[in-house]
Amino acid sequence: AQSVSQHNHHVILSEAASLELGCNYSYGGTVNLFWYVQYPGQHLQLLLKYFSGDPLVKGIKGFEAEFIKSKFSFNLRKPSVQWSDTAEYFCAVNDHPLGMRFGAGTRLTVKP
Amino acid sequence: DAGITQSPRHKVTETGTPVTLRCHQTENHRYMYWYRQDPGHGLRLIHYSYGVKDTDKGEVSDGYSVSRSKTEDFLLTLESATSSQTSVYFCAISESAGATQETQYFGPGTRLLVL
């Protein structure tokens, strides 16, 4: 089974700061990778996904992620965060047929 | 947002009682999943279904059972609830499963407290 590691449990930033959240996965073959966001009290929403092709993936709300196969990484980035980005962020990999394998999540707090 | 509803949204129950959570979808997707979310663990798969009456176990299936008698409904039952099953439960759906192109969409969640 695959595994996903998210290095940061809680990140605190000021508005306009740049964001990078780390994600590493264990599987060396073909992978489908995802970032989901969960705003307080809400369900998970898909931010972006990577299946193949351009390793730099752009998602919603100004987020992007870069797939680096040699490093087994899929880090999430945003050049300038806003207070409304306060949420929990989950990296996940498709672990068919066992659904999605999620990391433990990173809680992002953006101070106004 | 995908057409997924979960009921109830909140439930408090006592240890030893049976509990059934319902997931309903309007997307006619073949695959449905039940996850639980706990601090420090992200989401973990409990059971999944790949069609009507076709289900299988996930990573944390002990103490849970599921049923799917219709495409749109996927039920999760805690046969005798324990305090360790206090969690937030999410249903997810996907149109296709496999090594490529599967994306899962999540329901709003059910917050369960077992006293």
PDB file of all heavy atoms in Angstrom, chain A residues 94 96-100, chain B residues 6 23 30-35 45-50 66 68 74 90-98 102-107:
ATOM      1  N   ASN A  94      -3.870   8.238  -5.237  1.00  0.00           N
ATOM      2  CA  ASN A  94      -4.825   7.189  -5.592  1.00  0.00           C
ATOM      3  C   ASN A  94      -4.204   5.834  -5.289  1.00  0.00           C
ATOM      4  O   ASN A  94      -3.149   5.513  -5.842  1.00  0.00           O
ATOM      5  CB  ASN A  94      -5.180   7.316  -7.079  1.00  0.00           C
ATOM      6  CG  ASN A  94      -6.230   6.323  -7.505  1.00  0.00           C
ATOM      7  OD1 ASN A  94      -6.590   5.413  -6.760  1.00  0.00           O
ATOM      8  ND2 ASN A  94      -6.730   6.478  -8.704  1.00  0.00           N
ATOM      9  N   HIS A  96      -5.752   2.731  -5.639  1.00  0.00           N
ATOM     10  CA  HIS A  96      -6.726   1.783  -6.159  1.00  0.00           C
ATOM     11  C   HIS A  96      -6.340   0.341  -5.843  1.00  0.00           C
ATOM     12  O   HIS A  96      -5.171  -0.020  -5.995  1.00  0.00           O
ATOM     13  CB  HIS A  96      -6.850   1.949  -7.671  1.00  0.00           C
ATOM     14  CG  HIS A  96      -7.760   0.954  -8.288  1.00  0.00           C
ATOM     15  ND1 HIS A  96      -9.139   1.007  -8.164  1.00  0.00           N
ATOM     16  CD2 HIS A  96      -7.503  -0.162  -9.011  1.00  0.00           C
ATOM     17  CE1 HIS A  96      -9.683  -0.011  -8.779  1.00  0.00           C
ATOM     18  NE2 HIS A  96      -8.714  -0.733  -9.322  1.00  0.00           N
ATOM     19  N   PRO A  97      -7.304  -0.535  -5.401  1.00  0.00           N
ATOM     20  CA  PRO A  97      -8.719  -0.191  -5.254  1.00  0.00           C
ATOM     21  C   PRO A  97      -9.084   0.374  -3.892  1.00  0.00           C
ATOM     22  O   PRO A  97     -10.267   0.544  -3.594  1.00  0.00           O
ATOM     23  CB  PRO A  97      -9.398  -1.549  -5.457  1.00  0.00           C
ATOM     24  CG  PRO A  97      -8.415  -2.509  -4.853  1.00  0.00           C
ATOM     25  CD  PRO A  97      -7.058  -1.966  -5.159  1.00  0.00           C
ATOM     26  N   LEU A  98      -8.106   0.644  -3.073  1.00  0.00           N
ATOM     27  CA  LEU A  98      -8.368   1.066  -1.702  1.00  0.00           C
ATOM     28  C   LEU A  98      -8.567   2.576  -1.593  1.00  0.00           C
ATOM     29  O   LEU A  98      -8.083   3.200  -0.650  1.00  0.00           O
ATOM     30  CB  LEU A  98      -7.232   0.611  -0.793  1.00  0.00           C
ATOM     31  CG  LEU A  98      -7.096  -0.914  -0.686  1.00  0.00           C
ATOM     32  CD1 LEU A  98      -5.903  -1.268   0.178  1.00  0.00           C
ATOM     33  CD2 LEU A  98      -8.365  -1.532  -0.125  1.00  0.00           C
ATOM     34  N   GLY A  99      -9.248   3.118  -2.559  1.00  0.00           N
ATOM     35  CA  GLY A  99      -9.599   4.530  -2.471  1.00  0.00           C
ATOM     36  C   GLY A  99      -8.398   5.439  -2.541  1.00  0.00           C
ATOM     37  O   GLY A  99      -7.437   5.201  -3.274  1.00  0.00           O
ATOM     38  N   MET A 100      -8.454   6.485  -1.748  1.00  0.00           N
ATOM     39  CA  MET A 100      -7.383   7.463  -1.698  1.00  0.00           C
ATOM     40  C   MET A 100      -6.599   7.255  -0.406  1.00  0.00           C
ATOM     41  O   MET A 100      -7.152   6.996   0.643  1.00  0.00           O
ATOM     42  CB  MET A 100      -7.955   8.876  -1.691  1.00  0.00           C
ATOM     43  CG  MET A 100      -8.900   9.160  -2.821  1.00  0.00           C
ATOM     44  SD  MET A 100      -8.027   9.570  -4.310  1.00  0.00           S
ATOM     45  CE  MET A 100      -7.940  11.333  -4.108  1.00  0.00           C
TER      46      MET A 100
ATOM     47  N   GLN B   6     -25.306  13.522   3.068  1.00  0.00           N
ATOM     48  CA  GLN B   6     -25.110  12.549   4.139  1.00  0.00           C
ATOM     49  C   GLN B   6     -26.116  12.832   5.243  1.00  0.00           C
ATOM     50  O   GLN B   6     -26.405  13.994   5.551  1.00  0.00           O
ATOM     51  CB  GLN B   6     -23.683  12.633   4.700  1.00  0.00           C
ATOM     52  CG  GLN B   6     -22.616  12.187   3.728  1.00  0.00           C
ATOM     53  CD  GLN B   6     -21.230  12.192   4.354  1.00  0.00           C
ATOM     54  OE1 GLN B   6     -20.289  12.743   3.800  1.00  0.00           O
ATOM     55  NE2 GLN B   6     -21.085  11.545   5.503  1.00  0.00           N
ATOM     56  N   CYS B  23     -25.365   7.709   2.956  1.00  0.00           N
ATOM     57  CA  CYS B  23     -24.789   8.554   1.910  1.00  0.00           C
ATOM     58  C   CYS B  23     -25.662   8.413   0.671  1.00  0.00           C
ATOM     59  O   CYS B  23     -25.942   7.287   0.232  1.00  0.00           O
ATOM     60  CB  CYS B  23     -23.363   8.129   1.598  1.00  0.00           C
ATOM     61  SG  CYS B  23     -22.598   9.052   0.240  1.00  0.00           S
ATOM     62  N   ARG B  30     -20.510   5.010 -10.069  1.00  0.00           N
ATOM     63  CA  ARG B  30     -20.434   3.593  -9.720  1.00  0.00           C
ATOM     64  C   ARG B  30     -19.765   3.353  -8.369  1.00  0.00           C
ATOM     65  O   ARG B  30     -20.148   2.482  -7.617  1.00  0.00           O
ATOM     66  CB  ARG B  30     -19.672   2.852 -10.814  1.00  0.00           C
ATOM     67  CG  ARG B  30     -19.496   1.382 -10.525  1.00  0.00           C
ATOM     68  CD  ARG B  30     -18.717   0.710 -11.636  1.00  0.00           C
ATOM     69  NE  ARG B  30     -18.412  -0.678 -11.308  1.00  0.00           N
ATOM     70  CZ  ARG B  30     -17.629  -1.466 -12.035  1.00  0.00           C
ATOM     71  NH1 ARG B  30     -17.068  -0.988 -13.151  1.00  0.00           N
ATOM     72  NH2 ARG B  30     -17.413  -2.704 -11.668  1.00  0.00           N
ATOM     73  N   TYR B  31     -18.722   4.156  -8.063  1.00  0.00           N
ATOM     74  CA  TYR B  31     -17.901   3.868  -6.880  1.00  0.00           C
ATOM     75  C   TYR B  31     -18.275   4.791  -5.727  1.00  0.00           C
ATOM     76  O   TYR B  31     -18.416   6.004  -5.907  1.00  0.00           O
ATOM     77  CB  TYR B  31     -16.415   4.044  -7.223  1.00  0.00           C
ATOM     78  CG  TYR B  31     -15.940   3.044  -8.244  1.00  0.00           C
ATOM     79  CD1 TYR B  31     -16.031   3.320  -9.606  1.00  0.00           C
ATOM     80  CD2 TYR B  31     -15.428   1.820  -7.849  1.00  0.00           C
ATOM     81  CE1 TYR B  31     -15.625   2.397 -10.544  1.00  0.00           C
ATOM     82  CE2 TYR B  31     -15.008   0.887  -8.786  1.00  0.00           C
ATOM     83  CZ  TYR B  31     -15.110   1.192 -10.131  1.00  0.00           C
ATOM     84  OH  TYR B  31     -14.697   0.272 -11.056  1.00  0.00           O
ATOM     85  N   MET B  32     -18.395   4.197  -4.551  1.00  0.00           N
ATOM     86  CA  MET B  32     -18.683   4.967  -3.345  1.00  0.00           C
ATOM     87  C   MET B  32     -17.782   4.484  -2.221  1.00  0.00           C
ATOM     88  O   MET B  32     -17.416   3.301  -2.178  1.00  0.00           O
ATOM     89  CB  MET B  32     -20.163   4.844  -2.947  1.00  0.00           C
ATOM     90  CG  MET B  32     -21.105   5.365  -4.025  1.00  0.00           C
ATOM     91  SD  MET B  32     -22.846   5.353  -3.542  1.00  0.00           S
ATOM     92  CE  MET B  32     -22.912   6.753  -2.398  1.00  0.00           C
ATOM     93  N   TYR B  33     -17.443   5.417  -1.331  1.00  0.00           N
ATOM     94  CA  TYR B  33     -16.459   5.128  -0.293  1.00  0.00           C
ATOM     95  C   TYR B  33     -16.937   5.717   1.041  1.00  0.00           C
ATOM     96  O   TYR B  33     -17.584   6.767   1.065  1.00  0.00           O
ATOM     97  CB  TYR B  33     -15.113   5.779  -0.637  1.00  0.00           C
ATOM     98  CG  TYR B  33     -14.555   5.396  -1.988  1.00  0.00           C
ATOM     99  CD1 TYR B  33     -14.981   6.039  -3.146  1.00  0.00           C
ATOM    100  CD2 TYR B  33     -13.604   4.390  -2.115  1.00  0.00           C
ATOM    101  CE1 TYR B  33     -14.465   5.690  -4.380  1.00  0.00           C
ATOM    102  CE2 TYR B  33     -13.077   4.036  -3.346  1.00  0.00           C
ATOM    103  CZ  TYR B  33     -13.512   4.691  -4.476  1.00  0.00           C
ATOM    104  OH  TYR B  33     -13.003   4.347  -5.711  1.00  0.00           O
ATOM    105  N   TRP B  34     -16.564   5.087   2.118  1.00  0.00           N
ATOM    106  CA  TRP B  34     -16.720   5.646   3.446  1.00  0.00           C
ATOM    107  C   TRP B  34     -15.343   5.803   4.081  1.00  0.00           C
ATOM    108  O   TRP B  34     -14.548   4.859   4.126  1.00  0.00           O
ATOM    109  CB  TRP B  34     -17.568   4.751   4.343  1.00  0.00           C
ATOM    110  CG  TRP B  34     -19.034   4.934   4.186  1.00  0.00           C
ATOM    111  CD1 TRP B  34     -19.930   4.091   3.596  1.00  0.00           C
ATOM    112  CD2 TRP B  34     -19.811   6.047   4.664  1.00  0.00           C
ATOM    113  NE1 TRP B  34     -21.200   4.606   3.664  1.00  0.00           N
ATOM    114  CE2 TRP B  34     -21.153   5.812   4.312  1.00  0.00           C
ATOM    115  CE3 TRP B  34     -19.500   7.222   5.355  1.00  0.00           C
ATOM    116  CZ2 TRP B  34     -22.183   6.691   4.624  1.00  0.00           C
ATOM    117  CZ3 TRP B  34     -20.518   8.099   5.663  1.00  0.00           C
ATOM    118  CH2 TRP B  34     -21.844   7.821   5.301  1.00  0.00           C
ATOM    119  N   TYR B  35     -15.092   7.023   4.574  1.00  0.00           N
ATOM    120  CA  TYR B  35     -13.849   7.330   5.282  1.00  0.00           C
ATOM    121  C   TYR B  35     -14.199   7.835   6.683  1.00  0.00           C
ATOM    122  O   TYR B  35     -15.282   8.379   6.910  1.00  0.00           O
ATOM    123  CB  TYR B  35     -13.078   8.455   4.592  1.00  0.00           C
ATOM    124  CG  TYR B  35     -12.498   8.127   3.247  1.00  0.00           C
ATOM    125  CD1 TYR B  35     -13.244   8.284   2.088  1.00  0.00           C
ATOM    126  CD2 TYR B  35     -11.177   7.695   3.117  1.00  0.00           C
ATOM    127  CE1 TYR B  35     -12.697   8.016   0.836  1.00  0.00           C
ATOM    128  CE2 TYR B  35     -10.620   7.424   1.876  1.00  0.00           C
ATOM    129  CZ  TYR B  35     -11.388   7.590   0.747  1.00  0.00           C
ATOM    130  OH  TYR B  35     -10.845   7.328  -0.492  1.00  0.00           O
ATOM    131  N   LEU B  45      -9.795   4.921   4.916  1.00  0.00           N
ATOM    132  CA  LEU B  45     -10.885   4.227   4.245  1.00  0.00           C
ATOM    133  C   LEU B  45     -11.449   3.121   5.131  1.00  0.00           C
ATOM    134  O   LEU B  45     -10.714   2.277   5.651  1.00  0.00           O
ATOM    135  CB  LEU B  45     -10.388   3.637   2.927  1.00  0.00           C
ATOM    136  CG  LEU B  45     -11.427   2.936   2.078  1.00  0.00           C
ATOM    137  CD1 LEU B  45     -12.442   3.944   1.539  1.00  0.00           C
ATOM    138  CD2 LEU B  45     -10.769   2.193   0.932  1.00  0.00           C
ATOM    139  N   ILE B  46     -12.783   3.114   5.249  1.00  0.00           N
ATOM    140  CA  ILE B  46     -13.453   2.086   6.052  1.00  0.00           C
ATOM    141  C   ILE B  46     -13.930   0.952   5.151  1.00  0.00           C
ATOM    142  O   ILE B  46     -13.577  -0.220   5.337  1.00  0.00           O
ATOM    143  CB  ILE B  46     -14.650   2.685   6.809  1.00  0.00           C
ATOM    144  CG1 ILE B  46     -14.219   3.878   7.659  1.00  0.00           C
ATOM    145  CG2 ILE B  46     -15.313   1.620   7.683  1.00  0.00           C
ATOM    146  CD1 ILE B  46     -15.386   4.655   8.243  1.00  0.00           C
ATOM    147  N   HIS B  47     -14.779   1.291   4.200  1.00  0.00           N
ATOM    148  CA  HIS B  47     -15.291   0.345   3.212  1.00  0.00           C
ATOM    149  C   HIS B  47     -15.506   1.077   1.902  1.00  0.00           C
ATOM    150  O   HIS B  47     -15.636   2.293   1.889  1.00  0.00           O
ATOM    151  CB  HIS B  47     -16.653  -0.225   3.650  1.00  0.00           C
ATOM    152  CG  HIS B  47     -16.591  -1.312   4.672  1.00  0.00           C
ATOM    153  ND1 HIS B  47     -16.337  -2.632   4.344  1.00  0.00           N
ATOM    154  CD2 HIS B  47     -16.788  -1.282   6.005  1.00  0.00           C
ATOM    155  CE1 HIS B  47     -16.370  -3.367   5.445  1.00  0.00           C
ATOM    156  NE2 HIS B  47     -16.646  -2.581   6.465  1.00  0.00           N
ATOM    157  N   TYR B  48     -15.587   0.325   0.845  1.00  0.00           N
ATOM    158  CA  TYR B  48     -15.924   0.922  -0.427  1.00  0.00           C
ATOM    159  C   TYR B  48     -16.841   0.001  -1.209  1.00  0.00           C
ATOM    160  O   TYR B  48     -16.991  -1.195  -0.892  1.00  0.00           O
ATOM    161  CB  TYR B  48     -14.665   1.266  -1.239  1.00  0.00           C
ATOM    162  CG  TYR B  48     -13.842   0.081  -1.681  1.00  0.00           C
ATOM    163  CD1 TYR B  48     -13.967  -0.439  -2.968  1.00  0.00           C
ATOM    164  CD2 TYR B  48     -12.924  -0.514  -0.820  1.00  0.00           C
ATOM    165  CE1 TYR B  48     -13.189  -1.515  -3.371  1.00  0.00           C
ATOM    166  CE2 TYR B  48     -12.156  -1.584  -1.204  1.00  0.00           C
ATOM    167  CZ  TYR B  48     -12.280  -2.088  -2.484  1.00  0.00           C
ATOM    168  OH  TYR B  48     -11.525  -3.156  -2.886  1.00  0.00           O
ATOM    169  N   SER B  49     -17.471   0.580  -2.231  1.00  0.00           N
ATOM    170  CA  SER B  49     -18.379  -0.179  -3.082  1.00  0.00           C
ATOM    171  C   SER B  49     -18.062   0.110  -4.537  1.00  0.00           C
ATOM    172  O   SER B  49     -17.860   1.267  -4.921  1.00  0.00           O
ATOM    173  CB  SER B  49     -19.829   0.210  -2.781  1.00  0.00           C
ATOM    174  OG  SER B  49     -20.695  -0.340  -3.751  1.00  0.00           O
ATOM    175  N   TYR B  50     -18.047  -0.939  -5.332  1.00  0.00           N
ATOM    176  CA  TYR B  50     -17.790  -0.790  -6.761  1.00  0.00           C
ATOM    177  C   TYR B  50     -18.999  -1.135  -7.597  1.00  0.00           C
ATOM    178  O   TYR B  50     -18.890  -1.366  -8.802  1.00  0.00           O
ATOM    179  CB  TYR B  50     -16.551  -1.595  -7.185  1.00  0.00           C
ATOM    180  CG  TYR B  50     -16.498  -3.000  -6.654  1.00  0.00           C
ATOM    181  CD1 TYR B  50     -16.945  -4.078  -7.419  1.00  0.00           C
ATOM    182  CD2 TYR B  50     -15.983  -3.263  -5.388  1.00  0.00           C
ATOM    183  CE1 TYR B  50     -16.890  -5.372  -6.928  1.00  0.00           C
ATOM    184  CE2 TYR B  50     -15.932  -4.553  -4.890  1.00  0.00           C
ATOM    185  CZ  TYR B  50     -16.391  -5.608  -5.662  1.00  0.00           C
ATOM    186  OH  TYR B  50     -16.339  -6.892  -5.172  1.00  0.00           O
ATOM    187  N   VAL B  66     -21.298  -2.388   5.707  1.00  0.00           N
ATOM    188  CA  VAL B  66     -21.899  -1.502   4.715  1.00  0.00           C
ATOM    189  C   VAL B  66     -22.892  -2.280   3.874  1.00  0.00           C
ATOM    190  O   VAL B  66     -22.856  -3.510   3.807  1.00  0.00           O
ATOM    191  CB  VAL B  66     -20.841  -0.862   3.777  1.00  0.00           C
ATOM    192  CG1 VAL B  66     -19.988   0.160   4.522  1.00  0.00           C
ATOM    193  CG2 VAL B  66     -19.990  -1.931   3.118  1.00  0.00           C
ATOM    194  N   ARG B  68     -25.174  -1.688  -0.025  1.00  0.00           N
ATOM    195  CA  ARG B  68     -25.528  -0.854  -1.176  1.00  0.00           C
ATOM    196  C   ARG B  68     -26.543  -1.613  -2.010  1.00  0.00           C
ATOM    197  O   ARG B  68     -26.196  -2.456  -2.831  1.00  0.00           O
ATOM    198  CB  ARG B  68     -24.283  -0.511  -1.997  1.00  0.00           C
ATOM    199  CG  ARG B  68     -24.569   0.556  -3.043  1.00  0.00           C
ATOM    200  CD  ARG B  68     -23.313   1.143  -3.545  1.00  0.00           C
ATOM    201  NE  ARG B  68     -23.542   2.115  -4.586  1.00  0.00           N
ATOM    202  CZ  ARG B  68     -22.650   2.393  -5.516  1.00  0.00           C
ATOM    203  NH1 ARG B  68     -21.490   1.766  -5.526  1.00  0.00           N
ATOM    204  NH2 ARG B  68     -22.924   3.300  -6.435  1.00  0.00           N
ATOM    205  N   PHE B  74     -25.467   4.415  -0.113  1.00  0.00           N
ATOM    206  CA  PHE B  74     -24.414   3.585   0.484  1.00  0.00           C
ATOM    207  C   PHE B  74     -24.517   3.786   1.994  1.00  0.00           C
ATOM    208  O   PHE B  74     -24.338   4.906   2.481  1.00  0.00           O
ATOM    209  CB  PHE B  74     -23.061   4.029  -0.055  1.00  0.00           C
ATOM    210  CG  PHE B  74     -21.913   3.110   0.256  1.00  0.00           C
ATOM    211  CD1 PHE B  74     -22.084   1.734   0.361  1.00  0.00           C
ATOM    212  CD2 PHE B  74     -20.629   3.622   0.402  1.00  0.00           C
ATOM    213  CE1 PHE B  74     -21.012   0.900   0.618  1.00  0.00           C
ATOM    214  CE2 PHE B  74     -19.545   2.783   0.648  1.00  0.00           C
ATOM    215  CZ  PHE B  74     -19.740   1.421   0.756  1.00  0.00           C
ATOM    216  N   PHE B  90     -16.938  10.668   6.358  1.00  0.00           N
ATOM    217  CA  PHE B  90     -17.156  11.251   5.045  1.00  0.00           C
ATOM    218  C   PHE B  90     -17.440  10.163   4.018  1.00  0.00           C
ATOM    219  O   PHE B  90     -16.765   9.130   3.986  1.00  0.00           O
ATOM    220  CB  PHE B  90     -15.930  12.042   4.585  1.00  0.00           C
ATOM    221  CG  PHE B  90     -15.754  13.350   5.285  1.00  0.00           C
ATOM    222  CD1 PHE B  90     -14.880  13.465   6.345  1.00  0.00           C
ATOM    223  CD2 PHE B  90     -16.475  14.470   4.881  1.00  0.00           C
ATOM    224  CE1 PHE B  90     -14.719  14.675   7.005  1.00  0.00           C
ATOM    225  CE2 PHE B  90     -16.312  15.680   5.527  1.00  0.00           C
ATOM    226  CZ  PHE B  90     -15.433  15.788   6.600  1.00  0.00           C
ATOM    227  N   CYS B  91     -18.400  10.452   3.194  1.00  0.00           N
ATOM    228  CA  CYS B  91     -18.681   9.622   2.037  1.00  0.00           C
ATOM    229  C   CYS B  91     -18.022  10.267   0.824  1.00  0.00           C
ATOM    230  O   CYS B  91     -17.935  11.506   0.735  1.00  0.00           O
ATOM    231  CB  CYS B  91     -20.198   9.541   1.844  1.00  0.00           C
ATOM    232  SG  CYS B  91     -20.737   8.691   0.354  1.00  0.00           S
ATOM    233  N   ALA B  92     -17.566   9.452  -0.097  1.00  0.00           N
ATOM    234  CA  ALA B  92     -16.997   9.966  -1.339  1.00  0.00           C
ATOM    235  C   ALA B  92     -17.511   9.140  -2.499  1.00  0.00           C
ATOM    236  O   ALA B  92     -17.887   7.966  -2.331  1.00  0.00           O
ATOM    237  CB  ALA B  92     -15.469   9.927  -1.308  1.00  0.00           C
ATOM    238  N   ILE B  93     -17.515   9.763  -3.683  1.00  0.00           N
ATOM    239  CA  ILE B  93     -17.937   9.051  -4.879  1.00  0.00           C
ATOM    240  C   ILE B  93     -16.930   9.292  -5.991  1.00  0.00           C
ATOM    241  O   ILE B  93     -16.202  10.290  -5.982  1.00  0.00           O
ATOM    242  CB  ILE B  93     -19.340   9.498  -5.366  1.00  0.00           C
ATOM    243  CG1 ILE B  93     -19.328  10.962  -5.812  1.00  0.00           C
ATOM    244  CG2 ILE B  93     -20.378   9.278  -4.277  1.00  0.00           C
ATOM    245  CD1 ILE B  93     -20.648  11.420  -6.442  1.00  0.00           C
ATOM    246  N   SER B  94     -16.876   8.363  -6.925  1.00  0.00           N
ATOM    247  CA  SER B  94     -16.089   8.593  -8.131  1.00  0.00           C
ATOM    248  C   SER B  94     -16.744   7.847  -9.280  1.00  0.00           C
ATOM    249  O   SER B  94     -17.391   6.813  -9.080  1.00  0.00           O
ATOM    250  CB  SER B  94     -14.630   8.162  -7.961  1.00  0.00           C
ATOM    251  OG  SER B  94     -14.525   6.764  -7.891  1.00  0.00           O
ATOM    252  N   GLU B  95     -16.516   8.393 -10.460  1.00  0.00           N
ATOM    253  CA  GLU B  95     -17.138   7.814 -11.643  1.00  0.00           C
ATOM    254  C   GLU B  95     -16.411   6.559 -12.083  1.00  0.00           C
ATOM    255  O   GLU B  95     -17.005   5.597 -12.547  1.00  0.00           O
ATOM    256  CB  GLU B  95     -17.160   8.842 -12.770  1.00  0.00           C
ATOM    257  CG  GLU B  95     -17.956   8.415 -13.984  1.00  0.00           C
ATOM    258  CD  GLU B  95     -18.147   9.556 -14.942  1.00  0.00           C
ATOM    259  OE1 GLU B  95     -17.394  10.539 -14.860  1.00  0.00           O
ATOM    260  OE2 GLU B  95     -19.043   9.469 -15.789  1.00  0.00           O
ATOM    261  N   SER B  96     -15.105   6.580 -11.943  1.00  0.00           N
ATOM    262  CA  SER B  96     -14.316   5.430 -12.354  1.00  0.00           C
ATOM    263  C   SER B  96     -13.213   5.224 -11.356  1.00  0.00           C
ATOM    264  O   SER B  96     -12.780   6.170 -10.699  1.00  0.00           O
ATOM    265  CB  SER B  96     -13.726   5.650 -13.740  1.00  0.00           C
ATOM    266  OG  SER B  96     -12.830   6.741 -13.718  1.00  0.00           O
ATOM    267  N   ALA B  97     -12.788   4.027 -11.238  1.00  0.00           N
ATOM    268  CA  ALA B  97     -11.671   3.736 -10.340  1.00  0.00           C
ATOM    269  C   ALA B  97     -10.596   3.040 -11.149  1.00  0.00           C
ATOM    270  O   ALA B  97     -10.862   2.362 -12.118  1.00  0.00           O
ATOM    271  CB  ALA B  97     -12.117   2.860  -9.185  1.00  0.00           C
ATOM    272  N   GLY B  98      -9.386   3.231 -10.763  1.00  0.00           N
ATOM    273  CA  GLY B  98      -8.310   2.596 -11.486  1.00  0.00           C
ATOM    274  C   GLY B  98      -7.036   3.382 -11.323  1.00  0.00           C
ATOM    275  O   GLY B  98      -6.967   4.351 -10.581  1.00  0.00           O
ATOM    276  N   GLU B 102      -9.036   8.715 -11.886  1.00  0.00           N
ATOM    277  CA  GLU B 102     -10.082   8.730 -10.868  1.00  0.00           C
ATOM    278  C   GLU B 102      -9.941   9.954  -9.990  1.00  0.00           C
ATOM    279  O   GLU B 102      -8.858  10.246  -9.479  1.00  0.00           O
ATOM    280  CB  GLU B 102     -10.018   7.487  -9.978  1.00  0.00           C
ATOM    281  CG  GLU B 102     -11.108   7.501  -8.907  1.00  0.00           C
ATOM    282  CD  GLU B 102     -10.922   6.467  -7.821  1.00  0.00           C
ATOM    283  OE1 GLU B 102      -9.820   5.933  -7.700  1.00  0.00           O
ATOM    284  OE2 GLU B 102     -11.902   6.187  -7.106  1.00  0.00           O
ATOM    285  N   THR B 103     -11.037  10.648  -9.801  1.00  0.00           N
ATOM    286  CA  THR B 103     -11.091  11.747  -8.846  1.00  0.00           C
ATOM    287  C   THR B 103     -12.271  11.489  -7.924  1.00  0.00           C
ATOM    288  O   THR B 103     -13.363  11.170  -8.386  1.00  0.00           O
ATOM    289  CB  THR B 103     -11.274  13.097  -9.553  1.00  0.00           C
ATOM    290  OG1 THR B 103     -10.159  13.313 -10.427  1.00  0.00           O
ATOM    291  CG2 THR B 103     -11.346  14.222  -8.539  1.00  0.00           C
ATOM    292  N   GLN B 104     -12.041  11.620  -6.643  1.00  0.00           N
ATOM    293  CA  GLN B 104     -13.112  11.412  -5.677  1.00  0.00           C
ATOM    294  C   GLN B 104     -13.655  12.746  -5.199  1.00  0.00           C
ATOM    295  O   GLN B 104     -12.912  13.710  -4.996  1.00  0.00           O
ATOM    296  CB  GLN B 104     -12.610  10.602  -4.488  1.00  0.00           C
ATOM    297  CG  GLN B 104     -12.275   9.170  -4.868  1.00  0.00           C
ATOM    298  CD  GLN B 104     -11.970   8.305  -3.672  1.00  0.00           C
ATOM    299  OE1 GLN B 104     -12.206   8.669  -2.528  1.00  0.00           O
ATOM    300  NE2 GLN B 104     -11.444   7.116  -3.943  1.00  0.00           N
ATOM    301  N   TYR B 105     -14.963  12.774  -4.993  1.00  0.00           N
ATOM    302  CA  TYR B 105     -15.648  13.951  -4.489  1.00  0.00           C
ATOM    303  C   TYR B 105     -16.338  13.584  -3.190  1.00  0.00           C
ATOM    304  O   TYR B 105     -16.916  12.501  -3.073  1.00  0.00           O
ATOM    305  CB  TYR B 105     -16.645  14.473  -5.523  1.00  0.00           C
ATOM    306  CG  TYR B 105     -15.953  14.900  -6.797  1.00  0.00           C
ATOM    307  CD1 TYR B 105     -15.836  14.015  -7.868  1.00  0.00           C
ATOM    308  CD2 TYR B 105     -15.375  16.155  -6.909  1.00  0.00           C
ATOM    309  CE1 TYR B 105     -15.173  14.389  -9.028  1.00  0.00           C
ATOM    310  CE2 TYR B 105     -14.715  16.537  -8.063  1.00  0.00           C
ATOM    311  CZ  TYR B 105     -14.613  15.654  -9.116  1.00  0.00           C
ATOM    312  OH  TYR B 105     -13.948  16.017 -10.255  1.00  0.00           O
ATOM    313  N   PHE B 106     -16.292  14.519  -2.261  1.00  0.00           N
ATOM    314  CA  PHE B 106     -16.688  14.210  -0.895  1.00  0.00           C
ATOM    315  C   PHE B 106     -17.996  14.863  -0.495  1.00  0.00           C
ATOM    316  O   PHE B 106     -18.323  15.971  -0.921  1.00  0.00           O
ATOM    317  CB  PHE B 106     -15.578  14.639   0.067  1.00  0.00           C
ATOM    318  CG  PHE B 106     -14.379  13.740  -0.009  1.00  0.00           C
ATOM    319  CD1 PHE B 106     -13.425  13.915  -0.999  1.00  0.00           C
ATOM    320  CD2 PHE B 106     -14.225  12.692   0.878  1.00  0.00           C
ATOM    321  CE1 PHE B 106     -12.328  13.060  -1.102  1.00  0.00           C
ATOM    322  CE2 PHE B 106     -13.135  11.840   0.792  1.00  0.00           C
ATOM    323  CZ  PHE B 106     -12.201  12.029  -0.199  1.00  0.00           C
ATOM    324  N   GLY B 107     -18.710  14.147   0.374  1.00  0.00           N
ATOM    325  CA  GLY B 107     -19.919  14.676   0.970  1.00  0.00           C
ATOM    326  C   GLY B 107     -19.603  15.600   2.126  1.00  0.00           C
ATOM    327  O   GLY B 107     -18.446  15.792   2.482  1.00  0.00           O
TER     328      GLY B 107
END
